[in-house]
Amino acid sequence: MTREQHGTVPQPGTRVARGEGLRLFAAAIMIMIGMFHLIAGFAAVLRGSYFVVSENYFLVIDVAVWGWGHLVLGIIVVATGAALFAERPWAYVSGIVIVGLSALGNFMFLPYQPLWAVLIIAVDVAVVWALAMRLRELSVGD
């Protein structure tokens, strides 16, 4: 339910206002992360020679396979971020799971783009934190 349906608008600094900020932050960052996954996926599929792979990494997979994985993950992350903007209740828990998978996928992407993967993992952790805090606020009650 939206604030307008309740007939009240929360004052700045209240629990509801902070929670809404966390939801909006997570939704916006998820859409951005999804777009980054799409860009990395297209780069890997269309121009796999762009990525240089270390041969001493425990997980060696074809770059095109990683590209398709990033494309699929990017679409899912963008869709879940859009669902958070639309205030869908299922998007909180599924967002945590999907962003966790994003972090795991980027961990395995470390030999291809180490700095980029670490940056996206850090942003994924921030999104998980924001979603978990919002879920806690919702369980305690607005």
Side-chain angles (χ1 to χ4, degrees), residues 49-67:
S49 62
Y50 170 76
F51 295 101
V52 178
V53 182
S54 169
E55 293 182 16
N56 296 329
Y57 195 63
F58 73 94
L59 183 65
V60 179
I61 296 178
D62 183 38
V63 176
V65 173
W66 276 119

Side-chain angles (χ1 to χ4, degrees), residues 117-134:
V118 169
L119 176 68
I120 298 299
I121 290 169
V123 174
D124 285 338
V125 169
V127 169
V128 168
W129 173 83
L131 290 174
M133 292 301 292
R134 181 60 180 148

Side-chain angles (χ1 to χ4, degrees), residues 14-83:
T14 64
R15 181 182 299 224
V16 175
R18 283 192 305 267
E20 286 298 304
L22 289 173
R23 179 183 63 82
L24 292 175
F25 167 79
I29 297 299
M30 283 182 73
I31 290 173
M32 185 177 69
I33 291 169
M35 298 305 275
F36 288 155
H37 277 293
L38 291 171
I39 291 168
F42 280 124
V45 169
L46 299 177
R47 189 153 169 102
S49 62
Y50 170 76
F51 295 101
V52 178
V53 182
S54 169
E55 293 182 16
N56 296 329
Y57 195 63
F58 73 94
L59 183 65
V60 179
I61 296 178
D62 183 38
V63 176
V65 173
W66 276 119
W68 284 108
H70 275 286
L71 287 172
V72 169
L73 189 58
I75 292 168
I76 294 170
V77 172
V78 167
T80 307

